[in-house]
PDB file of all heavy atoms in Angstrom:
ATOM      1  N   ILE U  20      94.897  87.531 107.603  1.00  0.00           N
ATOM      2  CA  ILE U  20      95.770  88.460 106.873  1.00  0.00           C
ATOM      3  C   ILE U  20      96.244  87.829 105.569  1.00  0.00           C
ATOM      4  O   ILE U  20      96.317  88.492 104.520  1.00  0.00           O
ATOM      5  CB  ILE U  20      96.963  88.930 107.749  1.00  0.00           C
ATOM      6  CG1 ILE U  20      97.619  90.188 107.155  1.00  0.00           C
ATOM      7  CG2 ILE U  20      98.003  87.845 107.932  1.00  0.00           C
ATOM      8  CD1 ILE U  20      96.860  91.442 107.357  1.00  0.00           C
ATOM      9  N   ASP U  30      98.496  90.423  92.286  1.00  0.00           N
ATOM     10  CA  ASP U  30      98.970  89.131  92.759  1.00  0.00           C
ATOM     11  C   ASP U  30     100.271  89.298  93.531  1.00  0.00           C
ATOM     12  O   ASP U  30     101.258  89.814  92.992  1.00  0.00           O
ATOM     13  CB  ASP U  30      99.179  88.205  91.556  1.00  0.00           C
ATOM     14  CG  ASP U  30      99.397  86.763  91.980  1.00  0.00           C
ATOM     15  OD1 ASP U  30      99.154  86.449  93.157  1.00  0.00           O
ATOM     16  OD2 ASP U  30      99.822  85.964  91.123  1.00  0.00           O
ATOM     17  N   PHE U  31     100.277  88.872  94.777  1.00  0.00           N
ATOM     18  CA  PHE U  31     101.478  88.875  95.613  1.00  0.00           C
ATOM     19  C   PHE U  31     101.777  87.460  96.071  1.00  0.00           C
ATOM     20  O   PHE U  31     100.866  86.632  96.213  1.00  0.00           O
ATOM     21  CB  PHE U  31     101.295  89.743  96.865  1.00  0.00           C
ATOM     22  CG  PHE U  31     101.172  91.213  96.619  1.00  0.00           C
ATOM     23  CD1 PHE U  31      99.924  91.830  96.582  1.00  0.00           C
ATOM     24  CD2 PHE U  31     102.296  91.999  96.437  1.00  0.00           C
ATOM     25  CE1 PHE U  31      99.799  93.192  96.372  1.00  0.00           C
ATOM     26  CE2 PHE U  31     102.190  93.367  96.224  1.00  0.00           C
ATOM     27  CZ  PHE U  31     100.937  93.958  96.191  1.00  0.00           C
ATOM     28  N   ASP U  38     108.804  82.681 114.401  1.00  0.00           N
ATOM     29  CA  ASP U  38     109.822  82.395 115.419  1.00  0.00           C
ATOM     30  C   ASP U  38     109.371  81.279 116.357  1.00  0.00           C
ATOM     31  O   ASP U  38     109.382  81.417 117.585  1.00  0.00           O
ATOM     32  CB  ASP U  38     110.157  83.668 116.199  1.00  0.00           C
ATOM     33  CG  ASP U  38     111.159  84.544 115.463  1.00  0.00           C
ATOM     34  OD1 ASP U  38     111.588  84.161 114.358  1.00  0.00           O
ATOM     35  OD2 ASP U  38     111.514  85.615 115.988  1.00  0.00           O
ATOM     36  N   THR U  44     100.973  79.119 115.282  1.00  0.00           N
ATOM     37  CA  THR U  44     100.911  79.970 114.088  1.00  0.00           C
ATOM     38  C   THR U  44     101.464  79.251 112.860  1.00  0.00           C
ATOM     39  O   THR U  44     100.842  79.242 111.790  1.00  0.00           O
ATOM     40  CB  THR U  44     101.686  81.278 114.309  1.00  0.00           C
ATOM     41  OG1 THR U  44     101.098  82.014 115.386  1.00  0.00           O
ATOM     42  CG2 THR U  44     101.648  82.146 113.062  1.00  0.00           C
ATOM     43  N   GLU U  53      98.323  74.142 101.761  1.00  0.00           N
ATOM     44  CA  GLU U  53      97.629  73.162 100.936  1.00  0.00           C
ATOM     45  C   GLU U  53      96.691  73.858  99.951  1.00  0.00           C
ATOM     46  O   GLU U  53      96.463  73.372  98.845  1.00  0.00           O
ATOM     47  CB  GLU U  53      96.851  72.195 101.826  1.00  0.00           C
ATOM     48  CG  GLU U  53      97.733  71.361 102.743  1.00  0.00           C
ATOM     49  CD  GLU U  53      96.937  70.413 103.613  1.00  0.00           C
ATOM     50  OE1 GLU U  53      95.709  70.278 103.364  1.00  0.00           O
ATOM     51  OE2 GLU U  53      97.510  69.800 104.530  1.00  0.00           O
ATOM     52  N   MET U  92     105.328  93.830 106.220  1.00  0.00           N
ATOM     53  CA  MET U  92     103.972  94.107 106.713  1.00  0.00           C
ATOM     54  C   MET U  92     103.701  93.307 107.983  1.00  0.00           C
ATOM     55  O   MET U  92     104.097  92.147 108.090  1.00  0.00           O
ATOM     56  CB  MET U  92     102.919  93.752 105.652  1.00  0.00           C
ATOM     57  CG  MET U  92     101.514  94.224 106.021  1.00  0.00           C
ATOM     58  SD  MET U  92     100.287  93.893 104.721  1.00  0.00           S
ATOM     59  CE  MET U  92     100.082  92.129 104.948  1.00  0.00           C
ATOM     60  N   LEU U 103      99.110  97.837 100.073  1.00  0.00           N
ATOM     61  CA  LEU U 103     100.275  97.240  99.423  1.00  0.00           C
ATOM     62  C   LEU U 103     100.395  97.733  97.981  1.00  0.00           C
ATOM     63  O   LEU U 103     101.497  98.028  97.502  1.00  0.00           O
ATOM     64  CB  LEU U 103     100.168  95.711  99.425  1.00  0.00           C
ATOM     65  CG  LEU U 103     100.419  95.002 100.759  1.00  0.00           C
ATOM     66  CD1 LEU U 103      99.962  93.552 100.677  1.00  0.00           C
ATOM     67  CD2 LEU U 103     101.895  95.074 101.149  1.00  0.00           C
ATOM     68  N   VAL U 116     112.464 103.253  97.851  1.00  0.00           N
ATOM     69  CA  VAL U 116     111.874 102.746  99.098  1.00  0.00           C
ATOM     70  C   VAL U 116     110.574 103.499  99.309  1.00  0.00           C
ATOM     71  O   VAL U 116     110.567 104.735  99.346  1.00  0.00           O
ATOM     72  CB  VAL U 116     112.807 102.971 100.314  1.00  0.00           C
ATOM     73  CG1 VAL U 116     112.166 102.415 101.580  1.00  0.00           C
ATOM     74  CG2 VAL U 116     114.179 102.350 100.079  1.00  0.00           C
ATOM     75  N   VAL U 118     107.475 104.088 101.901  1.00  0.00           N
ATOM     76  CA  VAL U 118     107.157 103.925 103.320  1.00  0.00           C
ATOM     77  C   VAL U 118     105.685 104.244 103.558  1.00  0.00           C
ATOM     78  O   VAL U 118     105.217 105.327 103.201  1.00  0.00           O
ATOM     79  CB  VAL U 118     108.028 104.866 104.185  1.00  0.00           C
ATOM     80  CG1 VAL U 118     107.655 104.733 105.656  1.00  0.00           C
ATOM     81  CG2 VAL U 118     109.506 104.572 103.966  1.00  0.00           C
ATOM     82  N   ASN U 130      93.097 104.095 117.495  1.00  0.00           N
ATOM     83  CA  ASN U 130      93.041 103.202 118.665  1.00  0.00           C
ATOM     84  C   ASN U 130      94.324 103.152 119.490  1.00  0.00           C
ATOM     85  O   ASN U 130      94.510 102.228 120.276  1.00  0.00           O
ATOM     86  CB  ASN U 130      92.663 101.762 118.258  1.00  0.00           C
ATOM     87  CG  ASN U 130      91.237 101.671 117.772  1.00  0.00           C
ATOM     88  OD1 ASN U 130      90.406 102.537 118.066  1.00  0.00           O
ATOM     89  ND2 ASN U 130      90.936 100.621 117.023  1.00  0.00           N
ATOM     90  N   GLU U 201     107.277 108.689 101.005  1.00  0.00           N
ATOM     91  CA  GLU U 201     106.257 108.280 101.959  1.00  0.00           C
ATOM     92  C   GLU U 201     104.870 108.299 101.322  1.00  0.00           C
ATOM     93  O   GLU U 201     104.516 109.233 100.608  1.00  0.00           O
ATOM     94  CB  GLU U 201     106.288 109.180 103.188  1.00  0.00           C
ATOM     95  CG  GLU U 201     107.575 109.020 103.997  1.00  0.00           C
ATOM     96  CD  GLU U 201     107.598 109.888 105.241  1.00  0.00           C
ATOM     97  OE1 GLU U 201     107.116 109.448 106.291  1.00  0.00           O
ATOM     98  OE2 GLU U 201     108.122 111.021 105.140  1.00  0.00           O
ATOM     99  N   LYS U 213      98.736  90.331 121.162  1.00  0.00           N
ATOM    100  CA  LYS U 213      99.419  91.267 122.045  1.00  0.00           C
ATOM    101  C   LYS U 213     100.552  91.975 121.322  1.00  0.00           C
ATOM    102  O   LYS U 213     101.262  91.385 120.516  1.00  0.00           O
ATOM    103  CB  LYS U 213      99.987  90.527 123.268  1.00  0.00           C
ATOM    104  CG  LYS U 213      98.918  89.937 124.187  1.00  0.00           C
ATOM    105  CD  LYS U 213      99.557  89.264 125.388  1.00  0.00           C
ATOM    106  CE  LYS U 213      98.494  88.694 126.322  1.00  0.00           C
ATOM    107  NZ  LYS U 213      99.099  88.021 127.508  1.00  0.00           N
ATOM    108  N   VAL U 228     120.171 104.920 118.126  1.00  0.00           N
ATOM    109  CA  VAL U 228     120.185 105.838 116.982  1.00  0.00           C
ATOM    110  C   VAL U 228     121.423 106.724 117.027  1.00  0.00           C
ATOM    111  O   VAL U 228     122.062 106.975 115.998  1.00  0.00           O
ATOM    112  CB  VAL U 228     118.896 106.684 116.940  1.00  0.00           C
ATOM    113  CG1 VAL U 228     119.027 107.824 115.940  1.00  0.00           C
ATOM    114  CG2 VAL U 228     117.707 105.810 116.571  1.00  0.00           C
ATOM    115  N   ILE U 229     121.783 107.199 118.208  1.00  0.00           N
ATOM    116  CA  ILE U 229     122.995 108.023 118.340  1.00  0.00           C
ATOM    117  C   ILE U 229     124.229 107.201 117.993  1.00  0.00           C
ATOM    118  O   ILE U 229     125.108 107.655 117.249  1.00  0.00           O
ATOM    119  CB  ILE U 229     123.107 108.589 119.767  1.00  0.00           C
ATOM    120  CG1 ILE U 229     121.945 109.541 120.052  1.00  0.00           C
ATOM    121  CG2 ILE U 229     124.435 109.304 119.950  1.00  0.00           C
ATOM    122  CD1 ILE U 229     121.930 110.083 121.458  1.00  0.00           C
TER     123      ILE U 229
END
Side-chain angles (χ1 to χ4, degrees):
I20 197 76
D30 192 12
F31 292 98
D38 278 0
T44 298
E53 297 180 10
M92 189 177 75
L103 286 167
V116 181
V118 178
N130 292 340
E201 294 181 88
K213 294 182 179 180
V228 168
I229 296 177

